Amino acid sequence: MAFASTLTSQAHDGAGNSASSPANSASEITIGEGHPTHTPGAGRFAPSPSGDLHLGNLRTALLAWMWARLTGRRFVLRIEDIDRVRSGSAQRQIDELQALGIDWDGEVLIQSSRAHVHDEAVKTLLRNGYAFECFCSRKDIREAASAPHVPPGHYPGTCLQLSASEIARKREEFAAEGRRPALRLKAPVSEWTVYDEYFGEYTGPVDHFVIQRSDGAPAYNLAVVIDDAFQGVDQVVRGDDLLSQSPGQAILAHLLGYPTVTYAHVPLVLAQSGARLAKRDGAVTIEELAERGVTIAQIIEVLARSMGIEGVHSASQLLESMDTETLRALPRQPWTPDLDKLFA
């Protein structure tokens, strides 16, 4: 795996902080375990298989798909199953996307199948001084007095500067209890700038976030960066609740020598109460809506209307009616439909 040896200040090139692309950059890597080949960049949709996709997920999937197709990119699908998994959810999600009319290029990538690659990346970061062992529990972190200028919710730096003897002692204590430390990114900068289609240049703080959990499993923020690069993803469309995670993910990609990613953080779909959409709000999944007699065509129609497009009843019609300027003009406020009246 190529590794960025230096951090340099570079002029904004329309995609935030950029890095020089190594020989095996993401633009040369395609899906599968075979030899890398030159391919176009890609957009992606990467759900966690924790349940059926609801209207908010479906809307984001359509937007990600259209952003990719309308900018000449491939579109890939990944199932991010390293955290919560509900039996059967992955296949149902795939079926739901197909029912909606979304297509993708190549095989569906199952994130857990790449654990060995995630592990190698962790070793590389450790070897190059960009990771450290963290012996803190969640309670320790909550109770720790944060260092000056550490943003709320970020790691307070408790284990960042431990001496070799302190690390050895803590390792022995953990080993005696059958435990192991987590590993965190030793971030070389306090903030980083990314480019977003909706927010423009966005500069945010970079946390010393977990890259490998104490059970040895890769953390989301590590796996998502590595797997995006593997699939050639250079455009990430997702909910705007994840905007603040982008600087940290971007600096990790930079350290691993991956090309710069452009983001498009889209508004969430919220319940009328302002809370995240959930089953308690009524019929929100394709299956639940079908039980009420709602068709895929009707679902597409209301999702398209939320994007400013009227009178379409299929994903292909929506794509034909859309262009990048309309995508960029997407309303910035959350979509809060009245679910009782939406399909009345």
Side-chain angles (χ1 to χ4, degrees), residues 98-302:
Q98 289 177 325
L100 204 64
I102 291 176
D103 63 342
W104 51 87
D105 301 292
E107 302 173 5
V108 177
L109 184 66
I110 305 301
Q111 192 167 63
S112 59
S113 70
R114 291 179 40 80
H116 61 294
V117 182
H118 304 148
D119 289 344
E120 286 302 313
V122 170
K123 292 175 184 176
T124 301
L125 290 166
L126 278 168
R127 186 167 58 249
N128 287 277
Y130 289 118
F132 65 96
E133 293 169 279
C134 178
F135 302 89
C136 299
S137 66
R138 291 181 181 178
K139 182 180 179 182
D140 293 334
I141 294 172
R142 285 196 305 268
E143 294 178 349
S146 292
H149 312 301
V150 174
H154 280 218
Y155 181 67
T158 308
C159 296
L160 189 57
Q161 302 297 338
L162 292 178
S163 66
S165 60
E166 289 173 320
I167 292 173
R169 177 175 57 81
K170 288 183 176 291
R171 283 175 178 169
E172 289 181 5
E173 291 173 357
F174 268 50
E177 298 171 1
R179 301 162 61 200
R180 57 186 290 177
L183 296 176
R184 290 181 177 271
L185 176 71
K186 190 174 185 179
V189 295
S190 60
E191 61 181 25
W192 195 251
T193 299
V194 299
Y195 183 77
D196 187 279
E197 294 285 359
Y198 297 107
F199 293 87
E201 287 192 344
Y202 172 81
T203 301
V206 175
D207 192 13
H208 302 292
F209 54 81
V210 172
I211 57 174
Q212 186 180 78
R213 302 189 316 227
S214 58
D215 63 0
Y220 164 78
N221 278 315
L222 175 92
V224 69
V225 169
I226 293 170
D227 294 340
D228 275 348
F230 176 72
Q231 291 186 284
V233 171
D234 63 353
Q235 180 189 75
V236 172
V237 180
R238 58 188 182 183
D240 59 13
D241 57 324
L242 296 175
L243 176 63
S244 63
Q245 293 189 22
S246 299
Q249 292 173 359
I251 185 61
L252 178 58
H254 181 88
L255 293 174
L256 291 170
Y258 299 152
T260 301
V261 169
T262 295
Y263 295 92
H265 286 88
V266 299
L268 300 178
V269 179
L270 302 179
Q272 293 266 292
S273 64
R276 287 174 175 273
L277 205 59
K279 279 196 171 186
R280 62 177 175 273
D281 298 307
V284 294
T285 68
I286 289 178
E287 183 178 359
E288 292 165 346
L289 290 168
E291 291 173 356
R292 291 177 46 187
V294 177
T295 66
I296 293 293
Q298 290 174 291
I299 293 173
I300 293 287
E301 182 180 17
V302 299

Side-chain angles (χ1 to χ4, degrees), residues 284-332:
V284 294
T285 68
I286 289 178
E287 183 178 359
E288 292 165 346
L289 290 168
E291 291 173 356
R292 291 177 46 187
V294 177
T295 66
I296 293 293
Q298 290 174 291
I299 293 173
I300 293 287
E301 182 180 17
V302 299
L303 292 176
R305 188 179 302 130
S306 78
M307 304 172 195
I309 302 294
E310 297 282 351
V312 300
H313 302 91
S314 70
S316 60
Q317 287 179 341
L318 177 57
L319 183 63
E320 291 171 2
S321 303
M322 187 65 76
D323 55 46
T324 55
E325 290 309 307
T326 304
L327 282 173
R328 289 189 176 96
L330 189 73
R332 297 302 308 124

